[in-house]
Amino acid sequence: MKKKWLTSSNITTAIMLIFLITLLVSPQVKGFFIQGLMKIGLFQPDVPKQSEETASTSEALVEENSEVILFKNEAGEMVNLADLKGKVVFINFWATWCPPCIAEMPSINKLQQQFKDNKNVVFLMVDVDNNLEKSMKFMKSKKFDLKVFTPASQIPPNYLGGSIPTTLLINKKGEIVFKHEGGADYTNTEFATYLDKMSKE
């Protein structure tokens, strides 16, 4: 008796195997999969709470850097982080090959759209690979309205450690008040409210 290979069980197994292999080798597919998890409520940013219980944690995060930190845009113009004091700065360190970076990018784009008319908020998308052409091509292909920069100076370890994506919020005094390593859903209402509150302080 001949063994039947095209059973529903074998087909399902083959599809799952193809999906898992694609997930392992394709940053785009992996990013899309993480995006799906974000939509069901995972990967939420840990927004600082303004209460006595968390005051010590918030104080531990607040760091002012005396080093000159520069970023370069597509036109070759330099942006000195120190010149942005008086504004709230959202910095995202990312790369085009990084699945969690790809996954969180739509939420960052939505957040930027929400604050695009707020003159007190600045978004810096910093490509750690220093490849502006590739990162701008990525933004264009995804129809994201996000300005891309590359590091033009040493990035202090308290800004960027060993993992990407890393996202920072720097208050108007130039202090880090929020730091998140790994992908996150920045369409989170609590995060948008926190950013809005900081822009009005």
Side-chain angles (χ1 to χ4, degrees):
M1 186 176 170
K2 266 190 175 178
K3 200 171 182 181
K4 277 183 82 178
W5 290 103
L6 286 174
T7 64
S8 60
S9 174
N10 285 353
I11 292 167
T12 305
T13 303
I15 291 168
M16 284 300 292
L17 194 59
I18 291 165
F19 174 72
L20 288 171
I21 291 167
T22 308
L23 199 60
L24 288 170
V25 298
S26 171
Q28 298 289 341
V29 173
K30 197 181 279 188
F32 184 74
F33 181 71
I34 296 169
Q35 263 179 44
L37 295 176
M38 285 178 178
K39 285 175 184 172
I40 60 168
L42 298 177
F43 300 101
Q44 297 303 307
D46 191 16
V47 180
K49 302 281 187 289
Q50 301 302 312
S51 66
E52 286 180 19
E53 296 89 34
T54 58
S56 59
T57 313
S58 299
E59 282 167 21
L61 185 60
V62 171
E63 296 175 67
E64 191 170 356
N65 209 292
S66 58
E67 295 176 53
V68 174
I69 303 169
L70 301 171
F71 302 104
K72 187 169 70 172
N73 68 12
E74 59 181 291
E77 299 163 340
M78 296 292 177
V79 174
N80 188 337
L81 196 56
D83 293 339
L84 296 176
K85 276 193 179 181
K87 295 181 185 291
V88 179
V89 186
F90 178 104
I91 304 177
N92 180 264
F93 295 99
W94 70 290
T96 56
W97 48 263
C98 160
C101 303
I102 294 167
E104 71 178 1
M105 203 65 70
S107 73
I108 295 173
N109 190 60
K110 280 182 186 173
L111 184 71
Q112 190 269 342
Q113 290 296 310
Q114 192 176 336
F115 285 89
K116 68 179 179 181
D117 296 323
N118 188 328
K119 304 297 181 195
N120 292 320
V121 181
V122 176
F123 283 76
L124 301 177
M125 303 301 295
V126 183
D127 174 12
V128 297
D129 279 344
N130 280 302
N131 192 334
L132 270 173
E133 189 181 342
K134 190 176 180 183
S135 54
M136 285 171 58
K137 192 176 175 182
F138 171 86
M139 292 297 184
K140 193 175 179 182
S141 72
K142 300 293 182 185
K143 296 182 171 60
F144 293 147
D145 186 27
L146 294 164
K147 291 179 182 170
V148 182
F149 298 81
T150 57
S153 67
Q154 193 71 27
I155 303 297
N158 60 314
Y159 279 63
L160 178 64
S163 66
I164 57 167
T166 292
T167 301
L168 306 174
L169 269 186
I170 299 173
N171 68 13
K172 292 181 179 181
K173 297 175 188 173
E175 302 163 329
I176 300 171
V177 291
F178 169 87
K179 182 175 182 178
H180 183 88
E181 293 180 330
D185 178 9
Y186 292 103
T187 55
N188 180 299
T189 308
E190 196 180 350
F191 186 83
T193 303
Y194 178 66
L195 181 53
D196 185 55
K197 183 173 181 276
M198 279 183 42
S199 75
K200 291 171 180 171
E201 284 177 353

